[in-house]
Every structure is written in C-alpha cells, then in structure tokens.
Amino acid sequence: MSTQQRRERERAQRHDLIVKTARKLAESEGWDAVTTRRLADEIEYSQPVLYSHFAGKDAIVAAVALEGFTELAVRLRAATRAGKPRAALEGLARAYIAFAEENPALYDAMFTMAVDLPFGQDDTPEPLRDGFQALLSGVAQFADGRDPAILTEVAWSALHGLIVLSRGGRLPASGREARLTLLLDQLSATR
C-alpha cells in the first residue's frame, strides 16, 4: 500500500469516526451537546483536524443525515417486500415510524434541523434520492392515475406530521393506530 493510499484510508476512517461519534453523542445527549470542541475531545483529535474534514457543526449534521437516509432506504425496502400491496404499504409506514422513534436525533438531522442538503433538485445527493425512491416504490402502486411522486410526497408529509406531532405530545397516544389506519386507507383508496 502506498503512503498516499494509507493517508486516504486514515482520512476516511477519521471522517467515519467523527460522524459516528456525533451521531452517538446526539442520540444520547441531544444535538446541543454536539460541538466541535466536544467532538474533538471524544475522538481525541484536535479541532483543526475536525475542521479539515468538516466546515463546522452544520456539515457534520448533514453527513449524519446522509448516513441516515442510506439506513432509512434499506429499512423501507425491506419492509415493502410483503406480498400484497396494502401489506407492503403498511410495512413501509410502520418501518418509517419505527425508524424515527428508534433514532430521534438522526431523524431530526434528516428532517427538522437546518442542513444544506438540496431535496428534490438536480443536485440532490444520492442517499436522499434513494430514500425517496424507497418511499415511492411502496406508494406508487396506489397512484391510480395520480402523479406517483406527488402522492409519495403527501404520504411522506403525513407520516412526518404524525411523527412530529406525536413526539411533541400534540397527539394523544391512544389514537395512534386509528390515525395510521386512516392514513393507509386514504393512500390505498382508488378513485
């Protein structure tokens, strides 16, 4: 292995360590606890080393979000392998909700924090496109003449709204299943 290859491998390993440490810290203590100083202490590198990888906290959050989209796409695809379309749609919705509940800080990085990631544009990063495609693959079969992408955006918005309102205590837990069933009924209804 050449010196250049070794340096590139070590740089990639440091990059991954920074992202994983930021994510772990955010999940255990919240995003406010993730500072460049704290990360430098946790990974035992100097702050200038962190800045050689990321311009600042926002860039670290964006890197965590990209990792999250990759994980979400894998989970959604696995959940939609159920045989019948309605079962696949329900699996997709439940997998999406479970992902958000199991990874609240990651979900925040992906969807609620201000990050410089373009959604739905020509320069949208591949992990974001892949995540949307995973949603689209489960929802599009119910388009029935409607625009599949728009229907997927509405489904995504509804799931996101249910998650955020539930996490904020704005929706009573007792109606969770009824809300999800109603959403699935509306999405799978044909005109």
Side-chain angles (χ1 to χ4, degrees):
M1 174 181 295
S2 73
T3 303
Q4 179 66 25
Q5 289 172 321
R6 182 182 51 78
R7 285 184 184 145
E8 288 174 9
R9 185 190 70 220
E10 289 171 354
R11 181 169 175 75
Q13 289 171 340
R14 266 193 318 272
H15 182 278
D16 289 345
L17 178 62
I18 294 165
V19 171
K20 286 181 184 356
T21 304
R23 180 176 171 179
K24 181 180 173 187
L25 191 55
E27 288 294 354
S28 65
E29 298 180 37
W31 280 106
D32 288 342
V34 180
T35 64
T36 54
R37 173 168 282 147
R38 179 84 184 270
L39 281 174
D41 289 344
E42 293 284 328
I43 65 170
E44 299 178 345
Y45 283 101
S46 67
Q47 283 183 287
V49 169
L50 275 151
Y51 285 114
S52 75
H53 288 270
F54 298 99
K57 181 177 174 177
D58 291 346
I60 294 168
V61 173
V64 170
L66 288 172
E67 189 177 88
F69 279 104
T70 299
E71 293 174 21
L72 178 61
V74 168
R75 285 187 64 174
L76 295 179
R77 284 199 176 86
T80 57
R81 291 197 178 109
K84 296 182 180 179
R86 171 61 188 242
L89 180 64
E90 182 174 346
L92 177 124
R94 289 189 184 283
Y96 187 93
I97 292 168
F99 179 86
E101 290 175 346
E102 293 164 12
N103 306 283
L106 178 60
Y107 190 83
D108 286 344
M110 295 165 65
F111 295 114
T112 63
M113 295 179 70
V115 292
D116 191 21
L117 294 173
F119 284 80
Q121 299 174 25
D122 291 339
D123 59 343
T124 297
E126 190 58 35
L128 276 68
R129 290 178 188 270
D130 197 35
F132 185 77
Q133 281 301 123
L135 283 169
L136 181 69
S137 68
V139 175
Q141 59 196 328
F142 298 101
D144 191 37
R146 299 174 285 189
D147 182 321
I150 298 294
L151 184 61
T152 301
E153 289 169 355
V154 169
W156 177 21
S157 300
L159 286 170
H160 177 73
L162 289 174
I163 289 164
V164 171
L165 292 170
S166 294
R167 279 176 52 184
R170 282 133 179 121
L171 295 176
S174 61
R176 178 183 171 144
E177 283 301 313
R179 284 188 290 277
L180 183 57
T181 299
L182 179 60
L183 174 60
L184 294 171
D185 288 346
Q186 292 301 308
L187 289 172
S188 62
T190 57
R191 292 191 279 163

